[in-house]
Amino acid sequence: MREIIIDALGSDAGPQMVRDAIIKARSKIDFKATIVGPEGFFSDLLDDYEDFSLIDCNSFITNDESPALAIRRKKDSSTVLALNKLNERGDVFLTAGSTGALLAGGYFISKRLDNCKRACLAPTIPNINGDLIMADVGASMDVDPETLLQFAKITSAYAEKVLNKKNPALGLLNIGSEADKGDKRSRETFELLSASKLNFIGNIESRDIISCQADVIISEGFSGNIALKAMEGTAKELLSILKKTLMQNAKTKLAGLLIKNDLKKALSNLDYKKHGGAPLLGVKKALYKAHGNSNADSFALAIEEAINFAESGLMDYLREM
Amino acid sequence: MREIIIDALGSDAGPQMVRDAIIKARSKIDFKATIVGPEGFFSDLLDDYEDFSLIDCNSFITNDESPALAIRRKKDSSTVLALNKLNERGDVFLTAGSTGALLAGGYFISKRLDNCKRACLAPTIPNINGDLIMADVGASMDVDPETLLQFAKITSAYAEKVLNKKNPALGLLNIGSEADKGDKRSRETFELLSASKLNFIGNIESRDIISCQADVIISEGFSGNIALKAMEGTAKELLSILKKTLMQNAKTKLAGLLIKNDLKKALSNLDYKKHGGAPLLGVKKALYKAHGNSNADSFALAIEEAINFAESGLMDYLREM
């Protein structure tokens, strides 16, 4: 049975939500857990589940702190305690806390994989054909083409071993389809990916992310973040306009009733809440990041995804790659 | 009366569309025109409008050619003939042809503005509050922070002099709101913009482009292009899903009838066809780019916008800046 180390602090909702999520997830799948959080919230859980243990902790690293400094100084923070524990035992760490702290902790405590200069965050992003992974979306800035090739290798391995995509089709986020398009970094990365053994299918423009057939899109962290949030913002605004229009008067309210179910179904593939979190790849341990604004349902989903990640054998594969 | 030099070739639709657009625009506003295109399409127009003249031309630079090479070698192409003419006389050049050719022609024939190392394309992009300009969206890659400051100055001047925005609010496209967010280039650009006399309101995340209050967003060309196309692709896909859902069955078709007009009105601010084109800023002449897939309506709109650009006095201001 796999052991997950769970940061009960750092999410927007706090330890009660995490407690609910753990109970929810444990009712569906088996796992051992080490919970890092305030004892009061979890002591009775330890009686109910003999595979659970607790590291009492009341401090976490906030989004406002310098992550590198905080990892070095706040030795009693949930991130530091959890990652130190993961070096001793356990299979995967899950947190809804600061991404920066997770990244810094990954570098300083879990340590980089050999051949990985940097780490990438690889979420599943909206695509009408189903699951699509994009990496990096903002963990690492100012990376070179060799690092992007490394991101392509580890993210493709994740898609294959964890998400069961066979020979995943890999695209490069760029501003045109031809090999010579884009900035210097993109053109050099295109060459490296073409020469690699990966299933590289070429450049993908951001307008096609939502409808493309790729399994994995590789992007430099700055523009990957820009693409992802531009899609989120546009979708949110359009759906909000639609909602407002449907509430406008008796006629449009009726229209709303008539299409509600069909529309919900048609949009379901684009719902980012279908996924609880994303892996941080490039370090020696399995690290999994849940949404900061997780509720118990999505955090429970993240627990299941993290356990699936731990069970895949990906980390053994990456450490030997 | 202002004189516009019009490339009748290079658009997807061809010279007949341009002919229709010229007649349409001329019925609304006054202008002189020099048309660069096949004589057969335009000879009768020269009889009808005494202020029109023609440069007979049957060659244009395609999107597949190397723009810099083509500008040097294809001396009989519409872009080269038009830009040479603009150095002699006329106020603005309008084309729906290759952006690369326009950029290369701008550099080699119109020449850069003093203090401008590069040029930027500055379209109006979807925003629920009305007109928002973003520059650059893909004309110039691998630019430095000083160049982005220059883009900020010339695009703010465009917003003020051509679009009549008083003291335009300027944002920087970035992946977070704090000054220390983003890659090295973004952080350095943030400092330069903060120290400038421009009305800099800080970083703008791509998720907020569609709803922000800025008048101008400055972006490096690669990520600007990524942001813009991610928004376009998402909007297109969501509206296509909505349309398909509304055509699904009798119930949803009725809903479609009930909301059609209200929805169209609610989405009207986001319609990119509201604008016919965008200026290429950073060179000594007024260059205006229409959509490659323009129809007669949007190209006619682009003619009006280009004449407005020519009448604004912006180029005199920029040349002396």
Side-chain angles (χ1 to χ4, degrees), chain B residues 58-69:
Chain B
N58 288 283
S59 156
F60 65 98
I61 299 171
T62 68
N63 283 316
D64 306 329
E65 294 176 89
S66 155
L69 270 185

Side-chain angles (χ1 to χ4, degrees), chain A residues 173-245:
Chain A
L173 183 64
N174 204 336
I175 65 162
S177 54
E178 303 87 348
D180 63 345
K181 287 285 180 182
D183 55 5
K184 191 164 173 283
R185 172 164 46 204
S186 305
R187 296 192 305 270
E188 290 176 11
T189 305
F190 188 99
E191 279 183 32
L192 291 179
L193 291 173
S194 298
S196 78
K197 289 174 182 166
L198 296 161
N199 181 16
F200 179 51
I201 59 168
N203 288 330
I204 291 180
E205 289 192 72
S206 60
R207 70 157 67 93
D208 299 323
I209 294 173
I210 196 166
S211 58
C212 73
Q213 297 282 348
D215 299 304
V216 173
I217 294 181
I218 293 305
S219 61
E220 167 273 329
F222 187 81
S223 48
N225 188 286
I226 294 281
L228 187 59
K229 287 185 188 160
M231 293 174 71
E232 280 176 13
T234 305
K236 200 179 147 199
E237 193 58 46
L238 285 185
L239 294 178
S240 145
I241 288 174
L242 177 61
K243 221 171 181 173
K244 262 186 233 163
T245 305

Side-chain angles (χ1 to χ4, degrees), chain B residues 14 18 45 47 52-53 73 82 87 113 121 139 200 202 212 220 254 259-260 300 316:
Chain B
V18 173
L45 272 195
D47 299 334
F52 285 11
S53 61
R73 288 185 187 162
N87 280 347
L113 283 170
L121 197 63
F200 180 51
C212 73
E220 169 273 327
L254 174 58
I259 52 164
K260 200 178 164 188
D316 291 336

Side-chain angles (χ1 to χ4, degrees), chain A residues 8 43 58 60 85 124 280 294 317:
Chain A
S43 51
N58 290 284
F60 65 99
K85 182 53 69 183
T124 304
L280 185 80
S294 293
Y317 176 86

Side-chain angles (χ1 to χ4, degrees), chain A residues 142 184 205-206 226 229, chain B residues 142 175 184 205-206 226 229:
Chain A
D142 299 304
K184 191 164 173 283
E205 289 192 72
S206 60
I226 294 281
K229 287 185 188 160
Chain B
D142 299 304
I175 66 164
K184 190 164 172 285
E205 290 193 73
S206 59
I226 294 282
K229 288 185 187 159

Side-chain angles (χ1 to χ4, degrees), chain B residues 65-245:
Chain B
E65 294 176 89
S66 155
L69 270 185
I71 285 291
R72 283 160 200 239
R73 288 185 187 162
K74 284 177 93 167
K75 299 291 183 200
D76 62 345
S77 66
S78 56
T79 310
V80 174
L81 291 174
L83 289 176
N84 280 330
K85 182 54 68 182
L86 189 61
N87 280 347
E88 283 170 32
R89 69 152 205 258
D91 301 291
V92 60
F93 170 53
L94 171 66
T95 179
S98 152
T99 306
L102 182 65
L103 181 66
Y107 286 165
F108 294 127
I109 301 172
S110 308
K111 307 292 182 188
R112 293 168 177 79
L113 283 170
D114 302 337
N115 300 321
C116 272
K117 282 192 274 187
R118 306 287 290 274
C120 62
L121 197 63
T124 305
I125 64 167
N127 179 276
I128 57 168
N129 302 309
D131 285 354
L132 168 65
I133 304 291
M134 189 152 89
D136 176 47
V137 299
S140 293
M141 307 278 122
D142 299 304
V143 301
D144 58 19
E146 285 73 24
T147 300
L148 290 175
L149 173 63
Q150 202 62 32
F151 287 176
K153 288 179 184 172
I154 58 182
T155 309
S156 291
Y158 182 85
E160 184 147 1
K161 306 266 175 203
V162 181
L163 305 179
N164 301 315
K165 306 258 184 190
K166 290 224 187 310
N167 195 24
L170 178 84
L172 175 66
L173 184 64
N174 204 338
I175 66 164
S177 54
E178 302 88 348
D180 64 344
K181 287 286 181 183
D183 54 7
K184 190 164 172 285
R185 172 166 45 205
S186 306
R187 297 192 304 271
E188 290 175 11
T189 305
F190 188 100
E191 279 183 33
L192 290 180
L193 290 173
S194 298
S196 78
K197 288 175 183 164
L198 295 161
N199 181 16
F200 180 51
I201 59 170
N203 288 330
I204 291 180
E205 290 193 73
S206 59
R207 71 157 66 93
D208 299 323
I209 294 174
I210 197 166
S211 57
C212 73
Q213 297 281 348
D215 297 305
V216 173
I217 294 181
I218 292 306
S219 62
E220 169 273 327
F222 187 80
S223 49
N225 189 285
I226 294 282
L228 186 58
K229 288 185 187 159
M231 294 175 71
E232 280 176 12
T234 305
K236 199 180 148 195
E237 194 58 45
L238 285 183
L239 293 178
S240 147
I241 289 174
L242 178 61
K243 221 170 180 176
K244 265 187 229 160
T245 306

